[in-house]
Amino acid sequence: MTEVVVTLDLDGVTDKGGLMDRCARALSLPDWFGRNWDALADSLSDHTVWPDGAAEQGLLVVVRNWQPYAVARPGEWKTAREVFGQAADTAPALTVALALGGSS
């Protein structure tokens, strides 16, 4: 069985609001998604809001073009990494991978 892969492309993201919007779109999060760190953590670790088949097959979220955001907002990026890591620890079927390259 192959994991369901979702690409979270952060190209052009310059702040937390942009990150939350990209997460909401890429992960097809429900309208009630609160666009804050706690809501993101809850959504990432709640398999009931994952794409179809991901709860059974696993979910791989590939984060691309994250480097400019990490440089522009290091404190926010640190929090985002912590949220991604904690969600993956909470939901064993979730993997979050930071793609290297693609930042030029």
Side-chain angles (χ1 to χ4, degrees), residues 31-88:
D31 291 338
W32 50 259
F33 171 61
R35 287 178 165 70
N36 60 58
W37 297 121
D38 288 336
L40 180 59
D42 291 346
S43 296
L44 285 169
S45 39
D46 180 359
H47 67 86
T48 66
V49 299
W50 291 359
D52 289 342
E56 299 78 26
Q57 296 171 243
L59 176 61
L60 170 60
V61 178
V62 179
V63 184
R64 297 183 65 236
N65 299 309
W66 54 271
Q67 295 94 332
Y69 175 64
V71 170
R73 302 284 185 139
E76 288 179 12
W77 179 244
K78 179 178 185 252
T79 302
R81 281 193 342 260
E82 290 170 356
V83 167
F84 292 145
Q86 289 171 356

Side-chain angles (χ1 to χ4, degrees), residues 6 10 19 22 27 36-37 55-56 60 65 79 85 91 96 100 102-103:
V6 172
L10 300 184
L19 172 70
R22 291 288 172 89
L27 296 164
N36 60 58
W37 297 121
E56 299 78 26
L60 170 60
N65 299 309
T79 302
V96 179
L100 299 178
S103 63

